[in-house]
């Protein structure tokens, strides 16, 4: 497996292998939760050119559904501790949506 980052392949493998077990016990957010794990795995899949890594990222991202609650205005995301709704980038719905977009749509094109 080739790597496009400075992260040792052994560390990425250990992170990837532990992610499915840990994803269920984390907060949903991008900063230190399930969305962040899915983002990192999607990035690694792109650099490594490994479709199996991308499938793992998608599988982890599906775990984000358990943090969503139907709300009159759509879906809301419960933050860490599942005590209240969060909308911020680090731990709330903004980060979850950004993580999902990265996993499902790729890194995007930087603005010109």
């Amino acid at each position: 497996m080739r790597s496009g980052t400075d992260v040792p392949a052994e560390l990425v493998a250990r992170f990837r292998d532990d992610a499915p077990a840990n994803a269920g016990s984390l907060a949903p957010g991008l900063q230190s939760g399930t969305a962040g794990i899915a983002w990192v795995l999607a990035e690694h899949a792109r650099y490594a050119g490994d479709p199996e890594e991308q499938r793992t990222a998608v599988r982890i991202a599906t775990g984000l559904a358990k943090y969503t609650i139907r709300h009159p205005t759509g879906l809301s995301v419960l933050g860490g501790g599942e005590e209240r709704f969060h909308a911020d980038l680090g731990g709330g719905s903004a980060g979850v949506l950004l993580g999902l977009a990265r996993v499902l749509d790729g890194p995007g094109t930087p603005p010109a």
Side-chain angles (χ1 to χ4, degrees):
M1 178 183 320
R2 63 183 168 78
S3 176
T5 67
D6 293 333
V7 179
E10 301 82 30
L11 181 60
V12 171
R14 190 174 71 195
F15 180 76
R16 178 200 60 235
D17 295 342
D18 290 345
N22 293 335
S25 62
L26 297 174
L30 189 63
Q31 183 176 355
S32 59
T34 304
I37 290 173
W39 177 295
V40 168
L41 290 173
E43 275 295 299
H44 177 68
R46 182 170 74 102
Y47 284 115
D50 186 347
E52 182 60 33
E53 297 289 339
Q54 180 62 28
R55 284 190 287 277
T56 300
V58 170
R59 190 174 68 245
I60 296 299
T62 61
L64 292 166
K66 72 178 182 178
Y67 296 103
T68 59
I69 303 291
R70 287 198 185 276
H71 191 270
T73 60
L75 293 176
S76 294
V77 175
L78 289 172
E82 300 180 2
E83 298 169 352
R84 63 185 178 94
F85 297 123
H86 289 264
D88 60 283
L89 185 62
S93 57
V96 168
L97 289 173
L98 188 59
L100 284 173
R102 172 60 192 91
V103 171
L104 299 175
D105 297 331
T109 306

